Amino acid sequence: MDVSDDDPQLGPADVDRAALQQPGVVLHTLATEIGARVDEASAEGAPPDGWRVLKRHQSGQVLIGAPVDAEATVWRVAHVQPVSSDATVRVHPETMTLRPSRAQRRQGLALRWPTFMQGASGADGFAVDIVNTGSHRWIPNGDGFHVVGVFTEPGETAFHFGWADSAQRTAVPLDPGEYARVSVAIMPNVWERLEPGAHDLHAVFVSLGVRTETALNVHLSREVLGSHRQQQGSQLTLDDRRRAVDEEVARVRGVLAAAGAFTEVTAAIAASNTDEDAVARLGELLNLGEAAAEAIYNSTLHQLRPGNATQLHHRLDELHRHRAAI
């Protein structure tokens, strides 16, 4: 889905700034214009007028909304997929408060690695400081202190990642110079993919797009990786563990397929206008699901090198043995 640092937000959703100033129309009129029907039960109690398109996503999804108050600071919204044969406007039951853009909300904030993190083994996890480097008090506006860690090969600064925030820490105001020390969340499936050795760890304050300026150089031992895998495995059901292995098998097979069609893969990426478009093109080219196509898009050139196929096949054999043992 399209994400913009400069767009205002209603709840977690980006909206076009100019659309907020439009007069709007009756809900049923707008639904007809975008080729959808209104779910009457969900629309009960919603504003009858003032509805307008707030965002059109490249996926085809449309966000519509209408203000509840005269100042247009509180809204009722609905997400609609017009390309669906059963496109329906289901108005969200809760109101959404208009928020400044991510760029505005993160002003003055920086992520810094604490001194004690230098040379950390990773055995006890990782921590980072959210620092107010500005001259005014920073006040949270619906953003929790959730920071995700992403490992890359040493020296690599570009990366793409998924994240979840179900257990995010509540944000607190920070005066100039103050900081909050928070844990860096590592997505569970990451530990299964990492190999022992040197890595760079990048931290990202996900809801605001703030990331550490410098990576933390980490050497992950086989013992540390094994410990994290064991901890994660103990928290998962057997079905979860099997599903995780199956996803990794699909990813490795996708990389193998991409390595065998390297010229076509690079051409598809070069012809793409956005990350989402590139993932879609790769999925169509290699007949892969979205997750596997995204994994290929995020792969390094080293992984896609045809000569790396032997190592990838070895990894597949390991995964199949692991899957059989679960």
Side-chain angles (χ1 to χ4, degrees), residues 264-298:
E264 292 84 351
V265 165
T266 54
I269 294 175
S272 303
N273 295 320
T274 64
D275 291 340
E276 293 82 1
D277 184 27
V279 170
R281 286 173 182 264
L282 290 175
E284 183 177 354
L285 172 67
L286 301 171
N287 193 26
L288 298 172
E290 182 178 356
E294 186 170 359
I296 292 170
Y297 184 56
N298 297 328

PDB file of all heavy atoms in Angstrom, residues 264-298:
ATOM      1  N   GLU A 264      15.786 -11.533 -16.817  1.00  0.00           N
ATOM      2  CA  GLU A 264      14.376 -11.162 -16.823  1.00  0.00           C
ATOM      3  C   GLU A 264      13.977 -10.478 -15.512  1.00  0.00           C
ATOM      4  O   GLU A 264      13.169  -9.544 -15.504  1.00  0.00           O
ATOM      5  CB  GLU A 264      13.504 -12.400 -17.042  1.00  0.00           C
ATOM      6  CG  GLU A 264      13.634 -13.021 -18.424  1.00  0.00           C
ATOM      7  CD  GLU A 264      14.830 -13.983 -18.520  1.00  0.00           C
ATOM      8  OE1 GLU A 264      15.637 -14.024 -17.567  1.00  0.00           O
ATOM      9  OE2 GLU A 264      14.948 -14.674 -19.552  1.00  0.00           O
ATOM     10  N   VAL A 265      14.554 -10.945 -14.404  1.00  0.00           N
ATOM     11  CA  VAL A 265      14.242 -10.364 -13.101  1.00  0.00           C
ATOM     12  C   VAL A 265      14.698  -8.907 -13.032  1.00  0.00           C
ATOM     13  O   VAL A 265      13.955  -8.016 -12.622  1.00  0.00           O
ATOM     14  CB  VAL A 265      14.901 -11.186 -11.973  1.00  0.00           C
ATOM     15  CG1 VAL A 265      14.896 -10.409 -10.652  1.00  0.00           C
ATOM     16  CG2 VAL A 265      14.173 -12.506 -11.793  1.00  0.00           C
ATOM     17  N   THR A 266      15.932  -8.649 -13.444  1.00  0.00           N
ATOM     18  CA  THR A 266      16.438  -7.274 -13.395  1.00  0.00           C
ATOM     19  C   THR A 266      15.666  -6.366 -14.352  1.00  0.00           C
ATOM     20  O   THR A 266      15.431  -5.193 -14.052  1.00  0.00           O
ATOM     21  CB  THR A 266      17.939  -7.240 -13.737  1.00  0.00           C
ATOM     22  OG1 THR A 266      18.164  -7.893 -15.000  1.00  0.00           O
ATOM     23  CG2 THR A 266      18.757  -7.939 -12.655  1.00  0.00           C
ATOM     24  N   ALA A 267      15.247  -6.906 -15.479  1.00  0.00           N
ATOM     25  CA  ALA A 267      14.465  -6.108 -16.426  1.00  0.00           C
ATOM     26  C   ALA A 267      13.101  -5.750 -15.833  1.00  0.00           C
ATOM     27  O   ALA A 267      12.610  -4.626 -15.996  1.00  0.00           O
ATOM     28  CB  ALA A 267      14.288  -6.866 -17.735  1.00  0.00           C
ATOM     29  N   ALA A 268      12.486  -6.704 -15.122  1.00  0.00           N
ATOM     30  CA  ALA A 268      11.184  -6.451 -14.506  1.00  0.00           C
ATOM     31  C   ALA A 268      11.292  -5.379 -13.432  1.00  0.00           C
ATOM     32  O   ALA A 268      10.437  -4.488 -13.326  1.00  0.00           O
ATOM     33  CB  ALA A 268      10.631  -7.748 -13.905  1.00  0.00           C
ATOM     34  N   ILE A 269      12.361  -5.429 -12.646  1.00  0.00           N
ATOM     35  CA  ILE A 269      12.557  -4.428 -11.597  1.00  0.00           C
ATOM     36  C   ILE A 269      12.829  -3.065 -12.212  1.00  0.00           C
ATOM     37  O   ILE A 269      12.311  -2.033 -11.761  1.00  0.00           O
ATOM     38  CB  ILE A 269      13.710  -4.848 -10.658  1.00  0.00           C
ATOM     39  CG1 ILE A 269      13.318  -6.117  -9.888  1.00  0.00           C
ATOM     40  CG2 ILE A 269      14.067  -3.719  -9.696  1.00  0.00           C
ATOM     41  CD1 ILE A 269      14.420  -6.683  -9.028  1.00  0.00           C
ATOM     42  N   ALA A 270      13.644  -3.035 -13.272  1.00  0.00           N
ATOM     43  CA  ALA A 270      13.975  -1.762 -13.927  1.00  0.00           C
ATOM     44  C   ALA A 270      12.737  -1.102 -14.526  1.00  0.00           C
ATOM     45  O   ALA A 270      12.663   0.131 -14.613  1.00  0.00           O
ATOM     46  CB  ALA A 270      15.019  -1.997 -15.007  1.00  0.00           C
ATOM     47  N   ALA A 271      11.766  -1.908 -14.927  1.00  0.00           N
ATOM     48  CA  ALA A 271      10.558  -1.358 -15.549  1.00  0.00           C
ATOM     49  C   ALA A 271       9.497  -0.959 -14.533  1.00  0.00           C
ATOM     50  O   ALA A 271       8.450  -0.433 -14.914  1.00  0.00           O
ATOM     51  CB  ALA A 271       9.961  -2.397 -16.513  1.00  0.00           C
ATOM     52  N   SER A 272       9.772  -1.168 -13.248  1.00  0.00           N
ATOM     53  CA  SER A 272       8.780  -0.890 -12.209  1.00  0.00           C
ATOM     54  C   SER A 272       8.887   0.546 -11.715  1.00  0.00           C
ATOM     55  O   SER A 272       9.977   1.099 -11.616  1.00  0.00           O
ATOM     56  CB  SER A 272       8.980  -1.855 -11.030  1.00  0.00           C
ATOM     57  OG  SER A 272       8.911  -3.197 -11.465  1.00  0.00           O
ATOM     58  N   ASN A 273       7.737   1.107 -11.369  1.00  0.00           N
ATOM     59  CA  ASN A 273       7.693   2.478 -10.874  1.00  0.00           C
ATOM     60  C   ASN A 273       7.707   2.560  -9.352  1.00  0.00           C
ATOM     61  O   ASN A 273       8.083   3.585  -8.782  1.00  0.00           O
ATOM     62  CB  ASN A 273       6.430   3.188 -11.394  1.00  0.00           C
ATOM     63  CG  ASN A 273       6.457   3.347 -12.899  1.00  0.00           C
ATOM     64  OD1 ASN A 273       7.497   3.651 -13.477  1.00  0.00           O
ATOM     65  ND2 ASN A 273       5.311   3.140 -13.540  1.00  0.00           N
ATOM     66  N   THR A 274       7.272   1.481  -8.689  1.00  0.00           N
ATOM     67  CA  THR A 274       7.210   1.473  -7.227  1.00  0.00           C
ATOM     68  C   THR A 274       7.661   0.112  -6.725  1.00  0.00           C
ATOM     69  O   THR A 274       7.777  -0.859  -7.494  1.00  0.00           O
ATOM     70  CB  THR A 274       5.778   1.718  -6.724  1.00  0.00           C
ATOM     71  OG1 THR A 274       4.940   0.626  -7.144  1.00  0.00           O
ATOM     72  CG2 THR A 274       5.222   3.026  -7.260  1.00  0.00           C
ATOM     73  N   ASP A 275       7.910   0.027  -5.401  1.00  0.00           N
ATOM     74  CA  ASP A 275       8.252  -1.258  -4.790  1.00  0.00           C
ATOM     75  C   ASP A 275       7.125  -2.272  -4.982  1.00  0.00           C
ATOM     76  O   ASP A 275       7.371  -3.451  -5.282  1.00  0.00           O
ATOM     77  CB  ASP A 275       8.522  -1.076  -3.295  1.00  0.00           C
ATOM     78  CG  ASP A 275       9.793  -0.295  -3.017  1.00  0.00           C
ATOM     79  OD1 ASP A 275      10.656  -0.220  -3.910  1.00  0.00           O
ATOM     80  OD2 ASP A 275       9.919   0.230  -1.897  1.00  0.00           O
ATOM     81  N   GLU A 276       5.881  -1.808  -4.792  1.00  0.00           N
ATOM     82  CA  GLU A 276       4.740  -2.720  -4.936  1.00  0.00           C
ATOM     83  C   GLU A 276       4.642  -3.265  -6.360  1.00  0.00           C
ATOM     84  O   GLU A 276       4.342  -4.436  -6.577  1.00  0.00           O
ATOM     85  CB  GLU A 276       3.438  -2.001  -4.552  1.00  0.00           C
ATOM     86  CG  GLU A 276       3.319  -1.641  -3.089  1.00  0.00           C
ATOM     87  CD  GLU A 276       4.046  -0.364  -2.723  1.00  0.00           C
ATOM     88  OE1 GLU A 276       4.642   0.272  -3.645  1.00  0.00           O
ATOM     89  OE2 GLU A 276       4.038   0.007  -1.543  1.00  0.00           O
ATOM     90  N   ASP A 277       4.897  -2.368  -7.336  1.00  0.00           N
ATOM     91  CA  ASP A 277       4.859  -2.772  -8.739  1.00  0.00           C
ATOM     92  C   ASP A 277       5.948  -3.804  -9.026  1.00  0.00           C
ATOM     93  O   ASP A 277       5.714  -4.796  -9.731  1.00  0.00           O
ATOM     94  CB  ASP A 277       5.037  -1.542  -9.626  1.00  0.00           C
ATOM     95  CG  ASP A 277       4.919  -1.860 -11.117  1.00  0.00           C
ATOM     96  OD1 ASP A 277       4.225  -2.838 -11.451  1.00  0.00           O
ATOM     97  OD2 ASP A 277       5.501  -1.130 -11.931  1.00  0.00           O
ATOM     98  N   ALA A 278       7.129  -3.606  -8.465  1.00  0.00           N
ATOM     99  CA  ALA A 278       8.232  -4.541  -8.688  1.00  0.00           C
ATOM    100  C   ALA A 278       7.893  -5.920  -8.134  1.00  0.00           C
ATOM    101  O   ALA A 278       8.143  -6.946  -8.780  1.00  0.00           O
ATOM    102  CB  ALA A 278       9.509  -4.005  -8.038  1.00  0.00           C
ATOM    103  N   VAL A 279       7.324  -5.952  -6.916  1.00  0.00           N
ATOM    104  CA  VAL A 279       6.953  -7.235  -6.309  1.00  0.00           C
ATOM    105  C   VAL A 279       5.895  -7.937  -7.156  1.00  0.00           C
ATOM    106  O   VAL A 279       5.968  -9.147  -7.395  1.00  0.00           O
ATOM    107  CB  VAL A 279       6.440  -7.016  -4.869  1.00  0.00           C
ATOM    108  CG1 VAL A 279       5.831  -8.304  -4.315  1.00  0.00           C
ATOM    109  CG2 VAL A 279       7.579  -6.548  -3.973  1.00  0.00           C
ATOM    110  N   ALA A 280       4.913  -7.172  -7.635  1.00  0.00           N
ATOM    111  CA  ALA A 280       3.857  -7.760  -8.469  1.00  0.00           C
ATOM    112  C   ALA A 280       4.424  -8.325  -9.764  1.00  0.00           C
ATOM    113  O   ALA A 280       4.049  -9.420 -10.204  1.00  0.00           O
ATOM    114  CB  ALA A 280       2.784  -6.713  -8.764  1.00  0.00           C
ATOM    115  N   ARG A 281       5.342  -7.596 -10.400  1.00  0.00           N
ATOM    116  CA  ARG A 281       5.942  -8.056 -11.655  1.00  0.00           C
ATOM    117  C   ARG A 281       6.754  -9.345 -11.430  1.00  0.00           C
ATOM    118  O   ARG A 281       6.726 -10.268 -12.254  1.00  0.00           O
ATOM    119  CB  ARG A 281       6.840  -6.967 -12.244  1.00  0.00           C
ATOM    120  CG  ARG A 281       6.095  -5.799 -12.869  1.00  0.00           C
ATOM    121  CD  ARG A 281       7.062  -4.690 -13.266  1.00  0.00           C
ATOM    122  NE  ARG A 281       6.389  -3.525 -13.819  1.00  0.00           N
ATOM    123  CZ  ARG A 281       6.215  -3.292 -15.104  1.00  0.00           C
ATOM    124  NH1 ARG A 281       6.672  -4.151 -15.999  1.00  0.00           N
ATOM    125  NH2 ARG A 281       5.601  -2.199 -15.518  1.00  0.00           N
ATOM    126  N   LEU A 282       7.495  -9.389 -10.324  1.00  0.00           N
ATOM    127  CA  LEU A 282       8.292 -10.587 -10.038  1.00  0.00           C
ATOM    128  C   LEU A 282       7.390 -11.789  -9.775  1.00  0.00           C
ATOM    129  O   LEU A 282       7.680 -12.907 -10.208  1.00  0.00           O
ATOM    130  CB  LEU A 282       9.198 -10.337  -8.827  1.00  0.00           C
ATOM    131  CG  LEU A 282      10.353  -9.358  -9.050  1.00  0.00           C
ATOM    132  CD1 LEU A 282      11.096  -9.115  -7.748  1.00  0.00           C
ATOM    133  CD2 LEU A 282      11.314  -9.879 -10.109  1.00  0.00           C
ATOM    134  N   GLY A 283       6.295 -11.561  -9.059  1.00  0.00           N
ATOM    135  CA  GLY A 283       5.363 -12.657  -8.805  1.00  0.00           C
ATOM    136  C   GLY A 283       4.773 -13.212 -10.087  1.00  0.00           C
ATOM    137  O   GLY A 283       4.652 -14.429 -10.259  1.00  0.00           O
ATOM    138  N   GLU A 284       4.425 -12.304 -11.001  1.00  0.00           N
ATOM    139  CA  GLU A 284       3.861 -12.740 -12.286  1.00  0.00           C
ATOM    140  C   GLU A 284       4.907 -13.435 -13.147  1.00  0.00           C
ATOM    141  O   GLU A 284       4.632 -14.466 -13.766  1.00  0.00           O
ATOM    142  CB  GLU A 284       3.287 -11.533 -13.013  1.00  0.00           C
ATOM    143  CG  GLU A 284       2.609 -11.876 -14.338  1.00  0.00           C
ATOM    144  CD  GLU A 284       1.997 -10.658 -15.002  1.00  0.00           C
ATOM    145  OE1 GLU A 284       1.995  -9.571 -14.373  1.00  0.00           O
ATOM    146  OE2 GLU A 284       1.531 -10.780 -16.146  1.00  0.00           O
ATOM    147  N   LEU A 285       6.116 -12.887 -13.158  1.00  0.00           N
ATOM    148  CA  LEU A 285       7.191 -13.450 -13.971  1.00  0.00           C
ATOM    149  C   LEU A 285       7.545 -14.868 -13.534  1.00  0.00           C
ATOM    150  O   LEU A 285       7.728 -15.768 -14.372  1.00  0.00           O
ATOM    151  CB  LEU A 285       8.434 -12.560 -13.886  1.00  0.00           C
ATOM    152  CG  LEU A 285       9.719 -13.096 -14.530  1.00  0.00           C
ATOM    153  CD1 LEU A 285       9.560 -13.174 -16.046  1.00  0.00           C
ATOM    154  CD2 LEU A 285      10.906 -12.207 -14.162  1.00  0.00           C
ATOM    155  N   LEU A 286       7.636 -15.082 -12.217  1.00  0.00           N
ATOM    156  CA  LEU A 286       8.128 -16.360 -11.686  1.00  0.00           C
ATOM    157  C   LEU A 286       7.014 -17.240 -11.131  1.00  0.00           C
ATOM    158  O   LEU A 286       7.285 -18.291 -10.562  1.00  0.00           O
ATOM    159  CB  LEU A 286       9.167 -16.085 -10.595  1.00  0.00           C
ATOM    160  CG  LEU A 286      10.391 -15.276 -11.048  1.00  0.00           C
ATOM    161  CD1 LEU A 286      11.231 -14.874  -9.855  1.00  0.00           C
ATOM    162  CD2 LEU A 286      11.222 -16.077 -12.046  1.00  0.00           C
ATOM    163  N   ASN A 287       5.766 -16.763 -11.271  1.00  0.00           N
ATOM    164  CA  ASN A 287       4.612 -17.530 -10.787  1.00  0.00           C
ATOM    165  C   ASN A 287       4.744 -17.806  -9.292  1.00  0.00           C
ATOM    166  O   ASN A 287       4.623 -18.944  -8.826  1.00  0.00           O
ATOM    167  CB  ASN A 287       4.468 -18.847 -11.559  1.00  0.00           C
ATOM    168  CG  ASN A 287       3.112 -19.511 -11.306  1.00  0.00           C
ATOM    169  OD1 ASN A 287       2.126 -18.836 -10.984  1.00  0.00           O
ATOM    170  ND2 ASN A 287       3.065 -20.831 -11.432  1.00  0.00           N
ATOM    171  N   LEU A 288       4.976 -16.737  -8.517  1.00  0.00           N
ATOM    172  CA  LEU A 288       5.163 -16.855  -7.085  1.00  0.00           C
ATOM    173  C   LEU A 288       4.122 -16.038  -6.341  1.00  0.00           C
ATOM    174  O   LEU A 288       3.554 -15.093  -6.878  1.00  0.00           O
ATOM    175  CB  LEU A 288       6.561 -16.344  -6.686  1.00  0.00           C
ATOM    176  CG  LEU A 288       7.759 -17.095  -7.265  1.00  0.00           C
ATOM    177  CD1 LEU A 288       9.028 -16.335  -6.922  1.00  0.00           C
ATOM    178  CD2 LEU A 288       7.821 -18.520  -6.712  1.00  0.00           C
ATOM    179  N   GLY A 289       3.894 -16.406  -5.089  1.00  0.00           N
ATOM    180  CA  GLY A 289       3.037 -15.626  -4.220  1.00  0.00           C
ATOM    181  C   GLY A 289       3.713 -14.334  -3.816  1.00  0.00           C
ATOM    182  O   GLY A 289       4.916 -14.133  -4.031  1.00  0.00           O
ATOM    183  N   GLU A 290       2.942 -13.443  -3.190  1.00  0.00           N
ATOM    184  CA  GLU A 290       3.470 -12.126  -2.847  1.00  0.00           C
ATOM    185  C   GLU A 290       4.653 -12.209  -1.891  1.00  0.00           C
ATOM    186  O   GLU A 290       5.640 -11.492  -2.044  1.00  0.00           O
ATOM    187  CB  GLU A 290       2.356 -11.274  -2.222  1.00  0.00           C
ATOM    188  CG  GLU A 290       2.811  -9.856  -1.869  1.00  0.00           C
ATOM    189  CD  GLU A 290       1.688  -9.006  -1.298  1.00  0.00           C
ATOM    190  OE1 GLU A 290       0.541  -9.499  -1.239  1.00  0.00           O
ATOM    191  OE2 GLU A 290       1.967  -7.873  -0.892  1.00  0.00           O
ATOM    192  N   ALA A 291       4.561 -13.092  -0.869  1.00  0.00           N
ATOM    193  CA  ALA A 291       5.631 -13.186   0.126  1.00  0.00           C
ATOM    194  C   ALA A 291       6.940 -13.628  -0.515  1.00  0.00           C
ATOM    195  O   ALA A 291       8.008 -13.057  -0.245  1.00  0.00           O
ATOM    196  CB  ALA A 291       5.227 -14.150   1.240  1.00  0.00           C
ATOM    197  N   ALA A 292       6.874 -14.639  -1.385  1.00  0.00           N
ATOM    198  CA  ALA A 292       8.090 -15.121  -2.039  1.00  0.00           C
ATOM    199  C   ALA A 292       8.642 -14.084  -3.005  1.00  0.00           C
ATOM    200  O   ALA A 292       9.860 -13.892  -3.109  1.00  0.00           O
ATOM    201  CB  ALA A 292       7.800 -16.431  -2.778  1.00  0.00           C
ATOM    202  N   ALA A 293       7.741 -13.398  -3.729  1.00  0.00           N
ATOM    203  CA  ALA A 293       8.189 -12.365  -4.673  1.00  0.00           C
ATOM    204  C   ALA A 293       8.847 -11.208  -3.925  1.00  0.00           C
ATOM    205  O   ALA A 293       9.866 -10.665  -4.370  1.00  0.00           O
ATOM    206  CB  ALA A 293       7.001 -11.859  -5.488  1.00  0.00           C
ATOM    207  N   GLU A 294       8.296 -10.844  -2.768  1.00  0.00           N
ATOM    208  CA  GLU A 294       8.885  -9.761  -1.980  1.00  0.00           C
ATOM    209  C   GLU A 294      10.257 -10.169  -1.444  1.00  0.00           C
ATOM    210  O   GLU A 294      11.176  -9.347  -1.370  1.00  0.00           O
ATOM    211  CB  GLU A 294       7.962  -9.385  -0.824  1.00  0.00           C
ATOM    212  CG  GLU A 294       8.433  -8.177  -0.044  1.00  0.00           C
ATOM    213  CD  GLU A 294       7.399  -7.676   0.948  1.00  0.00           C
ATOM    214  OE1 GLU A 294       6.302  -8.264   1.016  1.00  0.00           O
ATOM    215  OE2 GLU A 294       7.695  -6.712   1.662  1.00  0.00           O
ATOM    216  N   ALA A 295      10.398 -11.446  -1.078  1.00  0.00           N
ATOM    217  CA  ALA A 295      11.696 -11.933  -0.592  1.00  0.00           C
ATOM    218  C   ALA A 295      12.759 -11.818  -1.682  1.00  0.00           C
ATOM    219  O   ALA A 295      13.910 -11.466  -1.407  1.00  0.00           O
ATOM    220  CB  ALA A 295      11.562 -13.378  -0.120  1.00  0.00           C
ATOM    221  N   ILE A 296      12.386 -12.121  -2.911  1.00  0.00           N
ATOM    222  CA  ILE A 296      13.336 -11.992  -4.032  1.00  0.00           C
ATOM    223  C   ILE A 296      13.714 -10.528  -4.232  1.00  0.00           C
ATOM    224  O   ILE A 296      14.885 -10.190  -4.412  1.00  0.00           O
ATOM    225  CB  ILE A 296      12.725 -12.563  -5.323  1.00  0.00           C
ATOM    226  CG1 ILE A 296      12.570 -14.076  -5.197  1.00  0.00           C
ATOM    227  CG2 ILE A 296      13.584 -12.226  -6.539  1.00  0.00           C
ATOM    228  CD1 ILE A 296      11.768 -14.687  -6.296  1.00  0.00           C
ATOM    229  N   TYR A 297      12.718  -9.663  -4.170  1.00  0.00           N
ATOM    230  CA  TYR A 297      12.967  -8.238  -4.363  1.00  0.00           C
ATOM    231  C   TYR A 297      13.931  -7.691  -3.307  1.00  0.00           C
ATOM    232  O   TYR A 297      14.712  -6.776  -3.566  1.00  0.00           O
ATOM    233  CB  TYR A 297      11.640  -7.480  -4.311  1.00  0.00           C
ATOM    234  CG  TYR A 297      11.757  -6.010  -4.604  1.00  0.00           C
ATOM    235  CD1 TYR A 297      12.338  -5.553  -5.786  1.00  0.00           C
ATOM    236  CD2 TYR A 297      11.277  -5.074  -3.693  1.00  0.00           C
ATOM    237  CE1 TYR A 297      12.439  -4.196  -6.052  1.00  0.00           C
ATOM    238  CE2 TYR A 297      11.370  -3.716  -3.957  1.00  0.00           C
ATOM    239  CZ  TYR A 297      11.953  -3.283  -5.139  1.00  0.00           C
ATOM    240  OH  TYR A 297      12.051  -1.943  -5.395  1.00  0.00           O
ATOM    241  N   ASN A 298      13.873  -8.267  -2.107  1.00  0.00           N
ATOM    242  CA  ASN A 298      14.730  -7.812  -1.014  1.00  0.00           C
ATOM    243  C   ASN A 298      16.047  -8.576  -0.935  1.00  0.00           C
ATOM    244  O   ASN A 298      16.853  -8.329  -0.037  1.00  0.00           O
ATOM    245  CB  ASN A 298      13.989  -7.953   0.323  1.00  0.00           C
ATOM    246  CG  ASN A 298      12.755  -7.085   0.383  1.00  0.00           C
ATOM    247  OD1 ASN A 298      12.731  -6.024  -0.195  1.00  0.00           O
ATOM    248  ND2 ASN A 298      11.726  -7.548   1.075  1.00  0.00           N
TER     249      ASN A 298
END
